[in-house]
Amino acid sequence: MISRLILTYPEGARRTGIAFVLCLITLGLYALGISSAWIGYLVPATSGWLADNPALGRFFAAGMIALILAANWMALRQLTRRQQIVGVWIELFALLMLFFYSFNLSLPFIAKKIGFMVSQGVVTTLYISAISIAIATLIALTGAIAKLSKNGVIYGLATFYTSLFRGLPLLMQIYIIYLGLPQVGYVIGAIPAGILALSLCYGAYMTEIFRAGIESIPRGQSEGATALGLSSSQTMGLVILPQAMRVIIPPTGNQFIAMLKDSSLVSVVGVWEIMYLARTQGQTEFRHIEMLITASMIYWILSIGLEFLQSRIEERFGRFNVR
Amino acid sequence: MNPVPAMQNSEILLRGVHKWFGQFHALNDINLSIAPREKVVICGPSGSGKSTLIRCVNRLEAHQEGHIFVGGVELDHDERKADLTRRGVGMVFQQFNLFPHLTILENCILAPMWVKKLPRKDAVDIAMTFLERVKIPEQAHKYPGQLSGGQQQRVAIARALCMNPKVMLFDEPTSALDPEMVKEVLDTMVELAGGGMTMVCVTHEMGFARQVADRVIFMDRGQIVEEGTPDDFFARPKTDRAALFLSQLLH
């Protein structure tokens, strides 16, 4: 019945649909408990009416926001795809800044501390992450080859490793390595402990990524290489891995970004990286939120850098795919 | 059973070779001797063990019983011996198995540079010679994905030839090709056969077999059922199984 109506009156159905969505958004905003104060700010003359009719005012505010969203949607639709993307980014970024602005942050305090955050925190975070990423990649490669091994001992070692280090929370691993190794007579510094824990944990995740990547290459490739007389390590290094990289890189980039942020867990053993500084620098003047937001933005910027790097590498390894 | 006397004039020698895939008896007591410069075509219904047979000759598959000698060297569990043997045995696959991440030229120089340790310049010279012989030197800097199936298979042949093998194995080289591309690949193979190389070819291209083969081997259910010259085999098959196979092939 309804489907017939939609088919017969497509234009009417479209308008009804839009009105329905608008109503839904309005009701949703109202249910979320939106405030009508902003209308009072914008048009002071209405503030008396708003105070008298709180419920009606809130409903009116929700409807206005729904209409603003709709207008925004219409405006964006006029643009090209590229402009739409940029437009959405700018709008959402402005909203995010508005959200931060509402905390009434002390910008001078941030300006005073940010130099130290970058020179100490960012540098430490970056070098812990970079070393861990390098070691984790090596572990992952070894682990993946071990997992594809016919030798039972090697396979057993690899599966136990991935199972254990994927199974324990990273925070627990950092504690166990930092506090546990001295128990057996090996005293380890906070930074090496952090790097070890990050490498082992991410190495375990990435082992699975590398294994899946290697397995995704058809058997004919290794047969072709073997038939040419290439040894098994040459086959892996020259034929299989370069092709597997295309499959491996996107999820690995994900892991790198995740690791960058998980390196914040290392702060629990007192390493002066971004997270640690964010927690401690604000304490003296009770300006916690300033430091936390600053640290968040720094993490975000670093992640964007990694995303960019990832897309560049993907391009490089994908170039043979052109037709 | 002493294989030495028979090896005097065999490039490839199989003695009582058996192979199983699980319960499936893929090769059942294969005895075969192929002389240097001999061209042998192997045919038979699918699942008869033809591909398995030639894949055992360069040990892409391991046989479980019997002996295989290539160029006088026995293939066994010693992988280094197998690697050495493979340098003298080129193989062309049904699915080409070109390396898609390398250009045509890089495909051809990879093994000469890494296995034979040739300098890049020499390897490139050799590769270009063979790419000219298969008539696609102008594609040298393209990637395999940019070539037609027939061109890819000719590159695969050139790639194998770059290792200067004494034996070439072809595993259904034209089965994955569109009909109009079969001829260009067969022409390349016919030309190659004129050069005095030992060739073992699994194919159903009977015209090619008549033109080139010294001997046709018919396999069924893991056994060599019949062998003979192409003229005899195609005109007067001795066994019913071969006659049935041929009658189905012609239609």
Side-chain angles (χ1 to χ4, degrees), chain A residues 219-221 223-224 226-230 234 238-239 242-243 320 323, chain B residues 55 58 86 89 93 97-101 111 114-115 143 145-146 159 163:
Chain A
R219 244 183 75 148
Q221 290 293 309
E223 285 180 354
T226 307
L228 283 168
L230 271 71
Q234 286 172 333
L238 297 168
V239 175
Q243 295 184 60
F320 63 84
R323 276 190 170 266
Chain B
R55 287 161 63 87
N58 67 353
R86 287 181 191 124
V89 180
F93 299 86
N97 295 354
L98 292 178
F99 308 136
H101 62 302
W114 287 88
V115 179
Y143 287 96
Q146 297 168 293
R159 180 176 75 174
M163 289 296 281

PDB file of all heavy atoms in Angstrom, chain A residues 219-221 223-224 226-230 234 238-239 242-243 320 323, chain B residues 55 58 86 89 93 97-101 111 114-115 143 145-146 159 163:
ATOM      1  N   ARG A 219      49.073 -19.416  -4.151  1.00  0.00           N
ATOM      2  CA  ARG A 219      50.177 -20.381  -4.101  1.00  0.00           C
ATOM      3  C   ARG A 219      51.023 -20.360  -5.360  1.00  0.00           C
ATOM      4  O   ARG A 219      52.202 -20.662  -5.333  1.00  0.00           O
ATOM      5  CB  ARG A 219      49.591 -21.792  -3.912  1.00  0.00           C
ATOM      6  CG  ARG A 219      50.008 -22.424  -2.608  1.00  0.00           C
ATOM      7  CD  ARG A 219      49.450 -23.822  -2.548  1.00  0.00           C
ATOM      8  NE  ARG A 219      50.197 -24.703  -3.420  1.00  0.00           N
ATOM      9  CZ  ARG A 219      50.386 -25.989  -3.182  1.00  0.00           C
ATOM     10  NH1 ARG A 219      49.870 -26.532  -2.122  1.00  0.00           N
ATOM     11  NH2 ARG A 219      51.074 -26.740  -4.014  1.00  0.00           N
ATOM     12  N   GLY A 220      50.390 -20.002  -6.479  1.00  0.00           N
ATOM     13  CA  GLY A 220      51.115 -19.973  -7.744  1.00  0.00           C
ATOM     14  C   GLY A 220      52.328 -19.053  -7.685  1.00  0.00           C
ATOM     15  O   GLY A 220      53.321 -19.297  -8.373  1.00  0.00           O
ATOM     16  N   GLN A 221      52.254 -18.007  -6.880  1.00  0.00           N
ATOM     17  CA  GLN A 221      53.373 -17.073  -6.793  1.00  0.00           C
ATOM     18  C   GLN A 221      54.606 -17.743  -6.201  1.00  0.00           C
ATOM     19  O   GLN A 221      55.703 -17.621  -6.735  1.00  0.00           O
ATOM     20  CB  GLN A 221      52.967 -15.861  -5.947  1.00  0.00           C
ATOM     21  CG  GLN A 221      51.963 -14.974  -6.636  1.00  0.00           C
ATOM     22  CD  GLN A 221      52.556 -14.297  -7.843  1.00  0.00           C
ATOM     23  OE1 GLN A 221      53.609 -13.687  -7.777  1.00  0.00           O
ATOM     24  NE2 GLN A 221      51.893 -14.430  -8.981  1.00  0.00           N
ATOM     25  N   GLU A 223      55.102 -20.928  -6.077  1.00  0.00           N
ATOM     26  CA  GLU A 223      55.497 -22.008  -6.990  1.00  0.00           C
ATOM     27  C   GLU A 223      56.298 -21.468  -8.159  1.00  0.00           C
ATOM     28  O   GLU A 223      57.317 -22.047  -8.554  1.00  0.00           O
ATOM     29  CB  GLU A 223      54.258 -22.753  -7.507  1.00  0.00           C
ATOM     30  CG  GLU A 223      53.658 -23.661  -6.458  1.00  0.00           C
ATOM     31  CD  GLU A 223      52.438 -24.393  -6.973  1.00  0.00           C
ATOM     32  OE1 GLU A 223      51.994 -24.098  -8.102  1.00  0.00           O
ATOM     33  OE2 GLU A 223      51.934 -25.256  -6.240  1.00  0.00           O
ATOM     34  N   GLY A 224      55.840 -20.331  -8.696  1.00  0.00           N
ATOM     35  CA  GLY A 224      56.572 -19.724  -9.802  1.00  0.00           C
ATOM     36  C   GLY A 224      57.992 -19.370  -9.388  1.00  0.00           C
ATOM     37  O   GLY A 224      58.944 -19.611 -10.143  1.00  0.00           O
ATOM     38  N   THR A 226      59.720 -20.675  -6.829  1.00  0.00           N
ATOM     39  CA  THR A 226      60.468 -21.901  -6.550  1.00  0.00           C
ATOM     40  C   THR A 226      60.933 -22.555  -7.843  1.00  0.00           C
ATOM     41  O   THR A 226      62.079 -22.997  -7.962  1.00  0.00           O
ATOM     42  CB  THR A 226      59.586 -22.888  -5.773  1.00  0.00           C
ATOM     43  OG1 THR A 226      59.065 -22.209  -4.637  1.00  0.00           O
ATOM     44  CG2 THR A 226      60.375 -24.089  -5.315  1.00  0.00           C
ATOM     45  N   ALA A 227      60.038 -22.572  -8.832  1.00  0.00           N
ATOM     46  CA  ALA A 227      60.391 -23.212 -10.100  1.00  0.00           C
ATOM     47  C   ALA A 227      61.550 -22.499 -10.781  1.00  0.00           C
ATOM     48  O   ALA A 227      62.292 -23.105 -11.557  1.00  0.00           O
ATOM     49  CB  ALA A 227      59.174 -23.247 -11.024  1.00  0.00           C
ATOM     50  N   LEU A 228      61.723 -21.196 -10.487  1.00  0.00           N
ATOM     51  CA  LEU A 228      62.843 -20.457 -11.074  1.00  0.00           C
ATOM     52  C   LEU A 228      64.138 -20.713 -10.316  1.00  0.00           C
ATOM     53  O   LEU A 228      65.185 -20.212 -10.705  1.00  0.00           O
ATOM     54  CB  LEU A 228      62.544 -18.962 -11.067  1.00  0.00           C
ATOM     55  CG  LEU A 228      61.579 -18.476 -12.135  1.00  0.00           C
ATOM     56  CD1 LEU A 228      61.133 -17.065 -11.840  1.00  0.00           C
ATOM     57  CD2 LEU A 228      62.224 -18.542 -13.507  1.00  0.00           C
ATOM     58  N   GLY A 229      64.057 -21.454  -9.221  1.00  0.00           N
ATOM     59  CA  GLY A 229      65.264 -21.770  -8.469  1.00  0.00           C
ATOM     60  C   GLY A 229      65.497 -20.872  -7.274  1.00  0.00           C
ATOM     61  O   GLY A 229      66.519 -20.991  -6.603  1.00  0.00           O
ATOM     62  N   LEU A 230      64.554 -19.953  -6.982  1.00  0.00           N
ATOM     63  CA  LEU A 230      64.728 -19.099  -5.813  1.00  0.00           C
ATOM     64  C   LEU A 230      64.571 -19.922  -4.536  1.00  0.00           C
ATOM     65  O   LEU A 230      63.710 -20.798  -4.457  1.00  0.00           O
ATOM     66  CB  LEU A 230      63.699 -17.957  -5.815  1.00  0.00           C
ATOM     67  CG  LEU A 230      64.107 -16.674  -6.539  1.00  0.00           C
ATOM     68  CD1 LEU A 230      64.146 -16.874  -8.027  1.00  0.00           C
ATOM     69  CD2 LEU A 230      63.152 -15.537  -6.202  1.00  0.00           C
ATOM     70  N   GLN A 234      64.395 -16.264  -0.351  1.00  0.00           N
ATOM     71  CA  GLN A 234      64.304 -15.322  -1.478  1.00  0.00           C
ATOM     72  C   GLN A 234      62.867 -15.200  -1.955  1.00  0.00           C
ATOM     73  O   GLN A 234      62.387 -14.105  -2.252  1.00  0.00           O
ATOM     74  CB  GLN A 234      65.185 -15.792  -2.638  1.00  0.00           C
ATOM     75  CG  GLN A 234      66.675 -15.590  -2.391  1.00  0.00           C
ATOM     76  CD  GLN A 234      67.524 -16.238  -3.479  1.00  0.00           C
ATOM     77  OE1 GLN A 234      67.110 -17.206  -4.099  1.00  0.00           O
ATOM     78  NE2 GLN A 234      68.714 -15.699  -3.689  1.00  0.00           N
ATOM     79  N   LEU A 238      61.396 -11.568  -1.890  1.00  0.00           N
ATOM     80  CA  LEU A 238      61.336 -10.893  -3.185  1.00  0.00           C
ATOM     81  C   LEU A 238      59.968 -10.987  -3.841  1.00  0.00           C
ATOM     82  O   LEU A 238      59.603 -10.127  -4.636  1.00  0.00           O
ATOM     83  CB  LEU A 238      62.375 -11.497  -4.143  1.00  0.00           C
ATOM     84  CG  LEU A 238      63.838 -11.343  -3.736  1.00  0.00           C
ATOM     85  CD1 LEU A 238      64.736 -12.213  -4.598  1.00  0.00           C
ATOM     86  CD2 LEU A 238      64.253  -9.895  -3.868  1.00  0.00           C
ATOM     87  N   VAL A 239      59.237 -12.039  -3.524  1.00  0.00           N
ATOM     88  CA  VAL A 239      57.986 -12.262  -4.260  1.00  0.00           C
ATOM     89  C   VAL A 239      56.767 -12.136  -3.346  1.00  0.00           C
ATOM     90  O   VAL A 239      55.827 -11.409  -3.650  1.00  0.00           O
ATOM     91  CB  VAL A 239      57.999 -13.646  -4.940  1.00  0.00           C
ATOM     92  CG1 VAL A 239      56.665 -13.932  -5.592  1.00  0.00           C
ATOM     93  CG2 VAL A 239      59.124 -13.710  -5.956  1.00  0.00           C
ATOM     94  N   PRO A 242      56.581  -8.430  -0.777  1.00  0.00           N
ATOM     95  CA  PRO A 242      56.236  -7.181  -1.453  1.00  0.00           C
ATOM     96  C   PRO A 242      54.768  -7.146  -1.890  1.00  0.00           C
ATOM     97  O   PRO A 242      54.145  -6.092  -1.884  1.00  0.00           O
ATOM     98  CB  PRO A 242      57.163  -7.168  -2.675  1.00  0.00           C
ATOM     99  CG  PRO A 242      58.281  -8.057  -2.319  1.00  0.00           C
ATOM    100  CD  PRO A 242      57.724  -9.107  -1.415  1.00  0.00           C
ATOM    101  N   GLN A 243      54.218  -8.305  -2.253  1.00  0.00           N
ATOM    102  CA  GLN A 243      52.805  -8.331  -2.640  1.00  0.00           C
ATOM    103  C   GLN A 243      51.911  -8.305  -1.415  1.00  0.00           C
ATOM    104  O   GLN A 243      50.852  -7.677  -1.413  1.00  0.00           O
ATOM    105  CB  GLN A 243      52.507  -9.580  -3.458  1.00  0.00           C
ATOM    106  CG  GLN A 243      53.218  -9.605  -4.784  1.00  0.00           C
ATOM    107  CD  GLN A 243      52.816 -10.826  -5.594  1.00  0.00           C
ATOM    108  OE1 GLN A 243      51.665 -11.020  -5.909  1.00  0.00           O
ATOM    109  NE2 GLN A 243      53.789 -11.648  -5.919  1.00  0.00           N
ATOM    110  N   PHE A 320      51.619  -1.207  -8.782  1.00  0.00           N
ATOM    111  CA  PHE A 320      51.568  -2.199  -9.854  1.00  0.00           C
ATOM    112  C   PHE A 320      50.140  -2.597 -10.177  1.00  0.00           C
ATOM    113  O   PHE A 320      49.888  -3.339 -11.106  1.00  0.00           O
ATOM    114  CB  PHE A 320      52.390  -3.448  -9.497  1.00  0.00           C
ATOM    115  CG  PHE A 320      51.911  -4.203  -8.304  1.00  0.00           C
ATOM    116  CD1 PHE A 320      50.904  -5.122  -8.416  1.00  0.00           C
ATOM    117  CD2 PHE A 320      52.491  -3.996  -7.059  1.00  0.00           C
ATOM    118  CE1 PHE A 320      50.465  -5.840  -7.311  1.00  0.00           C
ATOM    119  CE2 PHE A 320      52.056  -4.710  -5.960  1.00  0.00           C
ATOM    120  CZ  PHE A 320      51.034  -5.618  -6.085  1.00  0.00           C
ATOM    121  N   ARG A 323      46.128  -0.252 -14.346  1.00  0.00           N
ATOM    122  CA  ARG A 323      45.874  -0.983 -15.584  1.00  0.00           C
ATOM    123  C   ARG A 323      46.038  -0.068 -16.763  1.00  0.00           C
ATOM    124  O   ARG A 323      45.853   1.111 -16.643  1.00  0.00           O
ATOM    125  CB  ARG A 323      44.458  -1.547 -15.563  1.00  0.00           C
ATOM    126  CG  ARG A 323      44.469  -2.839 -14.829  1.00  0.00           C
ATOM    127  CD  ARG A 323      43.153  -3.582 -14.967  1.00  0.00           C
ATOM    128  NE  ARG A 323      43.355  -4.914 -14.416  1.00  0.00           N
ATOM    129  CZ  ARG A 323      43.690  -5.949 -15.151  1.00  0.00           C
ATOM    130  NH1 ARG A 323      43.843  -5.828 -16.453  1.00  0.00           N
ATOM    131  NH2 ARG A 323      43.869  -7.119 -14.585  1.00  0.00           N
TER     132      ARG A 323
ATOM    133  N   ARG B  55      55.030 -31.816 -12.148  1.00  0.00           N
ATOM    134  CA  ARG B  55      55.398 -31.052 -10.948  1.00  0.00           C
ATOM    135  C   ARG B  55      56.349 -31.836 -10.058  1.00  0.00           C
ATOM    136  O   ARG B  55      57.076 -31.249  -9.262  1.00  0.00           O
ATOM    137  CB  ARG B  55      54.139 -30.648 -10.173  1.00  0.00           C
ATOM    138  CG  ARG B  55      53.358 -29.535 -10.878  1.00  0.00           C
ATOM    139  CD  ARG B  55      51.936 -29.468 -10.387  1.00  0.00           C
ATOM    140  NE  ARG B  55      51.872 -29.138  -8.982  1.00  0.00           N
ATOM    141  CZ  ARG B  55      51.870 -27.892  -8.531  1.00  0.00           C
ATOM    142  NH1 ARG B  55      51.912 -26.882  -9.371  1.00  0.00           N
ATOM    143  NH2 ARG B  55      51.818 -27.655  -7.240  1.00  0.00           N
ATOM    144  N   ASN B  58      60.252 -31.205 -11.159  1.00  0.00           N
ATOM    145  CA  ASN B  58      61.080 -30.175 -10.524  1.00  0.00           C
ATOM    146  C   ASN B  58      60.761 -30.037  -9.029  1.00  0.00           C
ATOM    147  O   ASN B  58      61.033 -29.023  -8.413  1.00  0.00           O
ATOM    148  CB  ASN B  58      60.988 -28.832 -11.245  1.00  0.00           C
ATOM    149  CG  ASN B  58      59.618 -28.204 -11.132  1.00  0.00           C
ATOM    150  OD1 ASN B  58      58.690 -28.838 -10.626  1.00  0.00           O
ATOM    151  ND2 ASN B  58      59.493 -26.975 -11.595  1.00  0.00           N
ATOM    152  N   ARG B  86      66.367 -27.234 -10.179  1.00  0.00           N
ATOM    153  CA  ARG B  86      65.372 -26.312 -10.747  1.00  0.00           C
ATOM    154  C   ARG B  86      66.022 -25.233 -11.613  1.00  0.00           C
ATOM    155  O   ARG B  86      65.380 -24.665 -12.487  1.00  0.00           O
ATOM    156  CB  ARG B  86      64.584 -25.641  -9.608  1.00  0.00           C
ATOM    157  CG  ARG B  86      63.614 -26.579  -8.932  1.00  0.00           C
ATOM    158  CD  ARG B  86      62.854 -25.858  -7.842  1.00  0.00           C
ATOM    159  NE  ARG B  86      62.113 -26.803  -7.020  1.00  0.00           N
ATOM    160  CZ  ARG B  86      62.240 -26.900  -5.703  1.00  0.00           C
ATOM    161  NH1 ARG B  86      63.076 -26.113  -5.059  1.00  0.00           N
ATOM    162  NH2 ARG B  86      61.539 -27.780  -5.023  1.00  0.00           N
ATOM    163  N   VAL B  89      65.824 -26.453 -14.997  1.00  0.00           N
ATOM    164  CA  VAL B  89      64.504 -26.897 -15.447  1.00  0.00           C
ATOM    165  C   VAL B  89      63.552 -25.717 -15.400  1.00  0.00           C
ATOM    166  O   VAL B  89      63.211 -25.229 -14.332  1.00  0.00           O
ATOM    167  CB  VAL B  89      63.966 -28.026 -14.543  1.00  0.00           C
ATOM    168  CG1 VAL B  89      62.596 -28.474 -15.033  1.00  0.00           C
ATOM    169  CG2 VAL B  89      64.926 -29.203 -14.524  1.00  0.00           C
ATOM    170  N   PHE B  93      53.416 -22.251 -16.286  1.00  0.00           N
ATOM    171  CA  PHE B  93      52.199 -22.698 -15.609  1.00  0.00           C
ATOM    172  C   PHE B  93      50.952 -22.303 -16.384  1.00  0.00           C
ATOM    173  O   PHE B  93      50.976 -21.351 -17.176  1.00  0.00           O
ATOM    174  CB  PHE B  93      52.109 -22.060 -14.221  1.00  0.00           C
ATOM    175  CG  PHE B  93      53.245 -22.414 -13.306  1.00  0.00           C
ATOM    176  CD1 PHE B  93      54.433 -21.696 -13.328  1.00  0.00           C
ATOM    177  CD2 PHE B  93      53.130 -23.459 -12.410  1.00  0.00           C
ATOM    178  CE1 PHE B  93      55.475 -22.014 -12.475  1.00  0.00           C
ATOM    179  CE2 PHE B  93      54.175 -23.788 -11.550  1.00  0.00           C
ATOM    180  CZ  PHE B  93      55.343 -23.067 -11.584  1.00  0.00           C
ATOM    181  N   ASN B  97      51.570 -17.318 -13.483  1.00  0.00           N
ATOM    182  CA  ASN B  97      52.325 -17.076 -12.249  1.00  0.00           C
ATOM    183  C   ASN B  97      53.421 -16.041 -12.427  1.00  0.00           C
ATOM    184  O   ASN B  97      54.490 -16.150 -11.842  1.00  0.00           O
ATOM    185  CB  ASN B  97      52.921 -18.372 -11.696  1.00  0.00           C
ATOM    186  CG  ASN B  97      51.861 -19.345 -11.250  1.00  0.00           C
ATOM    187  OD1 ASN B  97      50.686 -19.001 -11.264  1.00  0.00           O
ATOM    188  ND2 ASN B  97      52.249 -20.532 -10.859  1.00  0.00           N
ATOM    189  N   LEU B  98      53.132 -15.019 -13.228  1.00  0.00           N
ATOM    190  CA  LEU B  98      54.054 -13.878 -13.262  1.00  0.00           C
ATOM    191  C   LEU B  98      53.926 -13.130 -11.939  1.00  0.00           C
ATOM    192  O   LEU B  98      52.907 -13.229 -11.256  1.00  0.00           O
ATOM    193  CB  LEU B  98      53.698 -12.948 -14.424  1.00  0.00           C
ATOM    194  CG  LEU B  98      53.926 -13.512 -15.818  1.00  0.00           C
ATOM    195  CD1 LEU B  98      53.492 -12.493 -16.863  1.00  0.00           C
ATOM    196  CD2 LEU B  98      55.383 -13.887 -16.026  1.00  0.00           C
ATOM    197  N   PHE B  99      54.971 -12.376 -11.576  1.00  0.00           N
ATOM    198  CA  PHE B  99      54.929 -11.624 -10.327  1.00  0.00           C
ATOM    199  C   PHE B  99      54.317 -10.256 -10.608  1.00  0.00           C
ATOM    200  O   PHE B  99      54.937  -9.421 -11.261  1.00  0.00           O
ATOM    201  CB  PHE B  99      56.338 -11.484  -9.748  1.00  0.00           C
ATOM    202  CG  PHE B  99      57.045 -12.806  -9.623  1.00  0.00           C
ATOM    203  CD1 PHE B  99      58.360 -12.953 -10.010  1.00  0.00           C
ATOM    204  CD2 PHE B  99      56.386 -13.915  -9.110  1.00  0.00           C
ATOM    205  CE1 PHE B  99      59.003 -14.173  -9.905  1.00  0.00           C
ATOM    206  CE2 PHE B  99      57.014 -15.136  -9.003  1.00  0.00           C
ATOM    207  CZ  PHE B  99      58.325 -15.265  -9.405  1.00  0.00           C
ATOM    208  N   PRO B 100      53.093 -10.002 -10.133  1.00  0.00           N
ATOM    209  CA  PRO B 100      52.375  -8.792 -10.552  1.00  0.00           C
ATOM    210  C   PRO B 100      52.999  -7.498 -10.048  1.00  0.00           C
ATOM    211  O   PRO B 100      52.711  -6.444 -10.584  1.00  0.00           O
ATOM    212  CB  PRO B 100      50.982  -8.990  -9.956  1.00  0.00           C
ATOM    213  CG  PRO B 100      51.167  -9.956  -8.849  1.00  0.00           C
ATOM    214  CD  PRO B 100      52.306 -10.838  -9.237  1.00  0.00           C
ATOM    215  N   HIS B 101      53.854  -7.584  -9.015  1.00  0.00           N
ATOM    216  CA  HIS B 101      54.416  -6.348  -8.465  1.00  0.00           C
ATOM    217  C   HIS B 101      55.692  -5.938  -9.196  1.00  0.00           C
ATOM    218  O   HIS B 101      56.274  -4.909  -8.870  1.00  0.00           O
ATOM    219  CB  HIS B 101      54.700  -6.514  -6.977  1.00  0.00           C
ATOM    220  CG  HIS B 101      55.709  -7.592  -6.666  1.00  0.00           C
ATOM    221  ND1 HIS B 101      55.525  -8.899  -7.048  1.00  0.00           N
ATOM    222  CD2 HIS B 101      56.905  -7.540  -6.050  1.00  0.00           C
ATOM    223  CE1 HIS B 101      56.558  -9.611  -6.649  1.00  0.00           C
ATOM    224  NE2 HIS B 101      57.418  -8.817  -6.049  1.00  0.00           N
ATOM    225  N   ALA B 111      65.333 -13.977 -11.260  1.00  0.00           N
ATOM    226  CA  ALA B 111      66.055 -15.222 -10.958  1.00  0.00           C
ATOM    227  C   ALA B 111      67.513 -15.186 -11.443  1.00  0.00           C
ATOM    228  O   ALA B 111      68.408 -15.580 -10.701  1.00  0.00           O
ATOM    229  CB  ALA B 111      65.301 -16.410 -11.546  1.00  0.00           C
ATOM    230  N   TRP B 114      69.345 -13.152  -8.739  1.00  0.00           N
ATOM    231  CA  TRP B 114      69.382 -13.633  -7.358  1.00  0.00           C
ATOM    232  C   TRP B 114      69.837 -15.079  -7.259  1.00  0.00           C
ATOM    233  O   TRP B 114      70.365 -15.480  -6.237  1.00  0.00           O
ATOM    234  CB  TRP B 114      68.011 -13.464  -6.703  1.00  0.00           C
ATOM    235  CG  TRP B 114      67.710 -12.037  -6.401  1.00  0.00           C
ATOM    236  CD1 TRP B 114      67.115 -11.131  -7.241  1.00  0.00           C
ATOM    237  CD2 TRP B 114      68.023 -11.312  -5.216  1.00  0.00           C
ATOM    238  NE1 TRP B 114      67.046  -9.916  -6.640  1.00  0.00           N
ATOM    239  CE2 TRP B 114      67.579  -9.982  -5.392  1.00  0.00           C
ATOM    240  CE3 TRP B 114      68.621 -11.666  -4.002  1.00  0.00           C
ATOM    241  CZ2 TRP B 114      67.727  -9.004  -4.417  1.00  0.00           C
ATOM    242  CZ3 TRP B 114      68.762 -10.691  -3.026  1.00  0.00           C
ATOM    243  CH2 TRP B 114      68.321  -9.369  -3.229  1.00  0.00           C
ATOM    244  N   VAL B 115      69.577 -15.857  -8.290  1.00  0.00           N
ATOM    245  CA  VAL B 115      69.956 -17.271  -8.221  1.00  0.00           C
ATOM    246  C   VAL B 115      71.313 -17.489  -8.874  1.00  0.00           C
ATOM    247  O   VAL B 115      72.204 -18.116  -8.307  1.00  0.00           O
ATOM    248  CB  VAL B 115      68.882 -18.150  -8.886  1.00  0.00           C
ATOM    249  CG1 VAL B 115      69.286 -19.611  -8.830  1.00  0.00           C
ATOM    250  CG2 VAL B 115      67.542 -17.944  -8.206  1.00  0.00           C
ATOM    251  N   TYR B 143      53.613  -3.600 -16.390  1.00  0.00           N
ATOM    252  CA  TYR B 143      53.349  -4.617 -15.370  1.00  0.00           C
ATOM    253  C   TYR B 143      52.495  -5.729 -15.978  1.00  0.00           C
ATOM    254  O   TYR B 143      51.739  -5.485 -16.932  1.00  0.00           O
ATOM    255  CB  TYR B 143      52.638  -3.995 -14.174  1.00  0.00           C
ATOM    256  CG  TYR B 143      53.553  -3.137 -13.340  1.00  0.00           C
ATOM    257  CD1 TYR B 143      53.612  -1.754 -13.511  1.00  0.00           C
ATOM    258  CD2 TYR B 143      54.399  -3.711 -12.397  1.00  0.00           C
ATOM    259  CE1 TYR B 143      54.478  -0.979 -12.753  1.00  0.00           C
ATOM    260  CE2 TYR B 143      55.265  -2.943 -11.647  1.00  0.00           C
ATOM    261  CZ  TYR B 143      55.303  -1.580 -11.826  1.00  0.00           C
ATOM    262  OH  TYR B 143      56.156  -0.830 -11.085  1.00  0.00           O
ATOM    263  N   GLY B 145      49.765  -7.070 -15.225  1.00  0.00           N
ATOM    264  CA  GLY B 145      48.331  -6.796 -15.300  1.00  0.00           C
ATOM    265  C   GLY B 145      47.928  -5.981 -16.513  1.00  0.00           C
ATOM    266  O   GLY B 145      46.760  -5.913 -16.859  1.00  0.00           O
ATOM    267  N   GLN B 146      48.907  -5.329 -17.154  1.00  0.00           N
ATOM    268  CA  GLN B 146      48.592  -4.490 -18.310  1.00  0.00           C
ATOM    269  C   GLN B 146      48.663  -5.266 -19.623  1.00  0.00           C
ATOM    270  O   GLN B 146      48.435  -4.705 -20.686  1.00  0.00           O
ATOM    271  CB  GLN B 146      49.564  -3.302 -18.360  1.00  0.00           C
ATOM    272  CG  GLN B 146      49.458  -2.389 -17.157  1.00  0.00           C
ATOM    273  CD  GLN B 146      50.603  -1.400 -17.079  1.00  0.00           C
ATOM    274  OE1 GLN B 146      51.738  -1.764 -16.867  1.00  0.00           O
ATOM    275  NE2 GLN B 146      50.291  -0.137 -17.246  1.00  0.00           N
ATOM    276  N   ARG B 159      60.681 -15.677 -19.269  1.00  0.00           N
ATOM    277  CA  ARG B 159      61.240 -15.654 -17.920  1.00  0.00           C
ATOM    278  C   ARG B 159      61.935 -16.970 -17.605  1.00  0.00           C
ATOM    279  O   ARG B 159      63.029 -16.990 -17.033  1.00  0.00           O
ATOM    280  CB  ARG B 159      60.120 -15.386 -16.909  1.00  0.00           C
ATOM    281  CG  ARG B 159      60.606 -15.338 -15.484  1.00  0.00           C
ATOM    282  CD  ARG B 159      59.506 -14.982 -14.520  1.00  0.00           C
ATOM    283  NE  ARG B 159      58.600 -16.108 -14.294  1.00  0.00           N
ATOM    284  CZ  ARG B 159      57.615 -16.093 -13.401  1.00  0.00           C
ATOM    285  NH1 ARG B 159      57.391 -15.014 -12.691  1.00  0.00           N
ATOM    286  NH2 ARG B 159      56.831 -17.147 -13.238  1.00  0.00           N
ATOM    287  N   MET B 163      66.836 -18.343 -17.520  1.00  0.00           N
ATOM    288  CA  MET B 163      67.715 -19.143 -16.666  1.00  0.00           C
ATOM    289  C   MET B 163      68.504 -20.163 -17.487  1.00  0.00           C
ATOM    290  O   MET B 163      69.224 -20.995 -16.945  1.00  0.00           O
ATOM    291  CB  MET B 163      66.902 -19.859 -15.584  1.00  0.00           C
ATOM    292  CG  MET B 163      66.366 -18.938 -14.515  1.00  0.00           C
ATOM    293  SD  MET B 163      67.689 -18.163 -13.565  1.00  0.00           S
ATOM    294  CE  MET B 163      68.121 -19.502 -12.458  1.00  0.00           C
TER     295      MET B 163
END
